[in-house]
Amino acid sequence: MENLLLLIHPATGILAMLAAVWVFVDAFNAAEGSQGRIKTLSLFCAGLMWLTYLIAGYWYVVFYGPDKAIIKAGPWPFGHNFFMEVKEHVFLALILLATYLPIAARDIAHNKAARRLTLWVAGLIVPTSLAMEGAGAIISLAVRVGLLKSAAGG
Amino acid sequence: MENIITRDKDTETYELGKYAKSFGLSLAITNLISALLVVLKEIQEDSVLAWMKAATGHHWVTHGVLNLILFLFFGWLLARPNEGKGVTINPGFLVLSIVTSLIANVLIIAGFYAF
């Protein structure tokens, strides 16, 4: 169960990021015909980011304890002390950014300011999401090197 | 080649909706408070962190709930001025506020855990 949750949360996170990429690209030439699509995809981005938050949050609160102990006792304690701490707290800003995207993208077809705002918000979601994915990879690797060390009797 | 963009330049506006302004500013404010709360709870473990753990069972869950409450509260509050038309803010300044608040959020949090 916990391994499934561990796999699902970066997948929903990536899908949310891809929705933000779509919104970003579509917003460049937003017009009457694309207004509905942008609205749907920005809602999709927000919904998927909340799903990521709920799945990752449940896993973090319920199952992360043993992994944390392995990381802190292993050769890469910064996997928790820096990367997990930063990831879990910066994600709280990312979830609000994604929640704001559908609000920013309202009436984008006839409003230059809304287009500009949407471009910035979607544009901020993408690198922040990538940073979350990267931090997750480092945390996973920190568990792995911790386990290798204990298997080697270190 | 057919022009697929049907945007009418003459009917374009440059005034954001009241919720775009209020929740945008709320996002910037919440990002800053959230980063400061990270520092506060880590240096006040016996009081702030202990309360946050007791409130929901995990400090991070409480942090997320507080952020959501702040975001909704400031978004609602800032939509009320000007007879319900929302706070007056230049769109460019709003974008700058959001970008700056996110960068500050990341720098404060990463800086705190790095040092």
Side-chain angles (χ1 to χ4, degrees), chain B:
Chain B
M1 192 173 137
E2 188 186 357
N3 183 8
I4 57 168
I5 301 170
T6 57
R7 191 189 307 148
D8 184 352
K9 301 280 186 194
D10 295 333
T11 60
E12 282 239 291
T13 62
Y14 200 76
E15 176 67 29
L16 289 169
K18 71 172 182 176
Y19 291 119
K21 290 186 288 186
S22 69
F23 280 97
L25 209 49
S26 174
L27 173 67
I29 294 167
T30 308
N31 277 346
L32 292 176
I33 294 174
S34 179
L36 295 175
L37 183 58
V38 171
V39 177
L40 184 66
K41 73 179 178 183
E42 293 288 3
I43 59 175
Q44 295 289 335
E45 288 189 23
D46 295 337
S47 52
V48 180
L49 188 67
W51 173 81
M52 288 176 76
K53 282 179 181 172
T56 60
H58 200 290
H59 68 90
W60 185 67
V61 176
T62 307
H63 200 139
V65 171
L66 285 175
N67 273 13
L68 185 60
I69 290 170
L70 286 173
F71 178 65
L72 294 175
F73 172 72
F74 283 120
W76 168 80
L77 188 71
L78 294 168
R80 292 174 65 85
N82 295 322
E83 298 173 341
K85 290 177 185 168
V87 67
T88 305
I89 185 168
N90 179 285
F93 183 74
L94 180 65
V95 167
L96 184 67
S97 304
I98 293 170
V99 175
T100 308
S101 75
L102 183 68
I103 292 169
N105 178 283
V106 173
L107 288 178
I108 290 169
I109 294 170
F112 179 78
Y113 287 111
F115 303 107

